[in-house]
Amino acid sequence: MHLMDNGIVFISSGFRIKNGNSAAYDKFYSENKGKGTIYLFDMNDPKKNVQEMNLTSTKEFDKDRFQPHGISVWEDKKAGKLYLYAINHERDGEERIEKFLVSVDKRSLQHLKSYYGDPTIIEFRSRMNDISATGDDSFYFSNSCVSSSYIGRLLEMLSFMAWTNVGYYDGKGYRIVADGIILANGIQMSRDGKYVFVASFFGQEMKIYERRNDNSLNLKQSYAFHTMPDNIMEDPVSGDLYVAFHPIGHLMVQHLTDPSLESPSQILQVKLKEGTVSSVTELFVDDGHLLSGSSVAVVYKKKMLIGSVLNKLVYCDVTVPL
């Protein structure tokens, strides 16, 4: 998800996880008519439900092969333009990042550019997860695996190897700016641009980095949650973080294999002081019956929208500590 200041939320959906082709997962994806797309949701008018955005194929971009994962929006306030970046695990293709020009009124995404296949950095062709835009042609991205095969990824994850990393594209080239992470997951840059937050899924922690002038990252804090973080969202007003978690890892793995098996959900509010964690409060927890496999959450005017890996969206009231 990506929450705008006005309450508009962009939501990615339809990424088909390559999990060894379990029959239960394939049946679930088929029955739910899985389709890679981006949705809009207005926190000010929740009765509208989600609205699918219009995509158009180009010579460089095939909307029918679009498999979006992490997304990030960059607002060019001077030009009055919105750009949406999306990790694209292109169906039967390679890892890509897509850039779109956004029209909220028309609910359209106009494809502008694809980023892929850079020969100077092999990590860029690994399994990307999330993205955080820093400008109209620059971004951080997280690599959650370095193995290309399903078996390799499985062994990499089960062995808890700190092999994954964060990359940066500056408009001219790619480079790794942080490494030694146990499955780098969600990534979020603070609105003031001072810090970058990275979820370490199997490390059960969040890494907080200070941004240097050259966009390299310096580790400031590793904060242990003892629960597995997925995506990180920042409150547009307070700067607090809202982090989605998978409290019981093996149940999440079972849920990915067979979506009918429930997995617990958890949302924590993380308060910061000068770039380090000052307090953590649990805002939501569920055994998986209401919501299985929480992956992301945004909060706007005492309302919370929670997404999941495979299950559903939940919209609810929330009391947020000041």
Side-chain angles (χ1 to χ4, degrees):
M1 293 184 187
H2 186 104
L3 170 67
M4 303 298 296
D5 292 349
N6 60 1
I8 294 293
V9 184
F10 296 92
I11 306 166
S12 69
S13 180
F15 161 44
R16 184 166 187 164
I17 300 169
K18 296 179 181 178
N19 60 358
N21 299 316
S22 80
Y25 180 87
D26 289 345
K27 180 182 178 182
F28 168 83
Y29 196 89
S30 176
E31 289 179 347
N32 286 276
K33 299 178 181 179
K35 172 187 175 183
T37 191
I38 305 293
Y39 290 100
L40 276 181
F41 183 78
D42 188 348
M43 297 287 282
N44 298 291
D45 191 6
K47 292 183 180 180
K48 278 187 176 180
N49 211 330
V50 296
Q51 298 176 294
E52 185 176 350
M53 300 202 73
N54 300 309
L55 290 164
T56 303
S57 295
T58 66
K59 290 183 179 180
E60 195 174 28
F61 171 73
D62 184 349
K63 68 176 184 178
D64 294 327
R65 298 172 66 191
F66 186 40
Q67 296 276 288
H69 196 168
I71 60 173
S72 181
V73 175
W74 180 262
E75 183 176 7
D76 186 337
K77 294 184 178 180
K78 289 185 178 180
K81 294 182 178 181
L82 286 180
Y83 300 102
L84 185 144
Y85 294 88
I87 301 294
N88 180 14
H89 305 294
E90 189 179 50
R91 181 167 56 82
D92 302 322
E94 60 186 317
E95 299 284 275
R96 302 157 67 102
I97 292 173
E98 311 294 355
K99 178 184 178 182
F100 302 92
L101 178 65
V102 179
S103 173
V104 174
D105 292 338
K106 296 179 181 179
R107 299 203 316 276
S108 70
L109 293 174
Q110 177 188 344
H111 187 261
L112 299 177
K113 185 177 181 179
S114 294
Y115 304 82
Y116 62 97
D118 184 82
T120 64
I121 181 165
I122 192 169
E123 287 88 352
F124 187 64
R125 295 191 292 275
S126 64
R127 175 58 63 89
M128 292 184 291
N129 188 296
D130 197 14
I131 185 168
S132 185
T134 63
D136 60 9
D137 194 34
S138 59
F139 46 79
Y140 291 100
F141 57 94
S142 60
N143 286 312
S144 60
C145 291
V146 297
S147 301
S148 58
S149 68
Y150 169 71
I151 295 298
R153 292 196 301 271
L154 185 63
L155 292 173
E156 184 181 331
M157 290 187 289
L158 291 177
S159 59
F160 300 104
M161 301 304 292
W163 288 350
T164 65
N165 50 49
V166 171
Y168 185 73
Y169 178 74
D170 61 7
K172 297 179 181 179
Y174 306 91
R175 69 185 193 273
I176 296 300
V177 291
D179 56 13
I181 305 169
I182 305 175
L183 203 159
N185 204 327
I187 185 169
Q188 178 77 30
M189 183 179 72
S190 62
R191 298 224 170 189
D192 60 12
K194 293 181 179 180
Y195 305 104
V196 172
F197 311 101
V198 181
S200 172
F201 186 80
F202 283 125
Q204 300 189 32
E205 64 182 5
M206 179 176 68
K207 293 185 177 292
I208 302 175
Y209 298 91
E210 290 180 310
R211 287 183 75 205
R212 297 190 178 102
N213 291 335
D214 63 355
N215 295 298
S216 62
L217 300 178
N218 178 53
L219 183 62
K220 183 178 179 68
Q221 183 184 31
S222 295
Y223 187 87
F225 290 111
H226 305 293
T227 177
M228 297 176 180
D230 202 321
N231 286 294
I232 303 167
M233 296 288 107
E234 186 184 32
D235 190 293
V237 178
S238 68
D240 297 338
L241 304 179
Y242 302 107
V243 188
F245 290 87
H246 305 284
I248 304 177
H250 72 274
L251 293 182
M252 185 58 205
V253 172
Q254 291 179 10
H255 179 61
L256 291 175
T257 303
D258 182 351
S260 68
L261 300 176
E262 296 175 346
S263 176
S265 295
Q266 183 183 38
I267 307 298
L268 301 183
Q269 178 205 46
V270 180
K271 285 186 167 294
L272 304 166
K273 184 176 182 181
E274 298 179 356
T276 58
V277 175
S278 59
S279 68
V280 177
T281 303
E282 188 176 72
L283 299 182
F284 175 91
V285 67
D286 181 68
D287 63 2
H289 184 67
L290 173 65
L291 179 69
S292 279
S294 56
S295 60
V296 63
V298 295
V299 173
Y300 183 79
K301 294 183 178 179
K302 298 183 179 181
K303 304 291 183 181
M304 182 161 61
L305 182 68
I306 309 172
S308 60
V309 179
L310 296 174
N311 192 219
K312 66 186 76 167
L313 286 169
V314 168
Y315 178 81
C316 60
D317 297 326
V318 64
T319 301
V320 180
L322 299 176

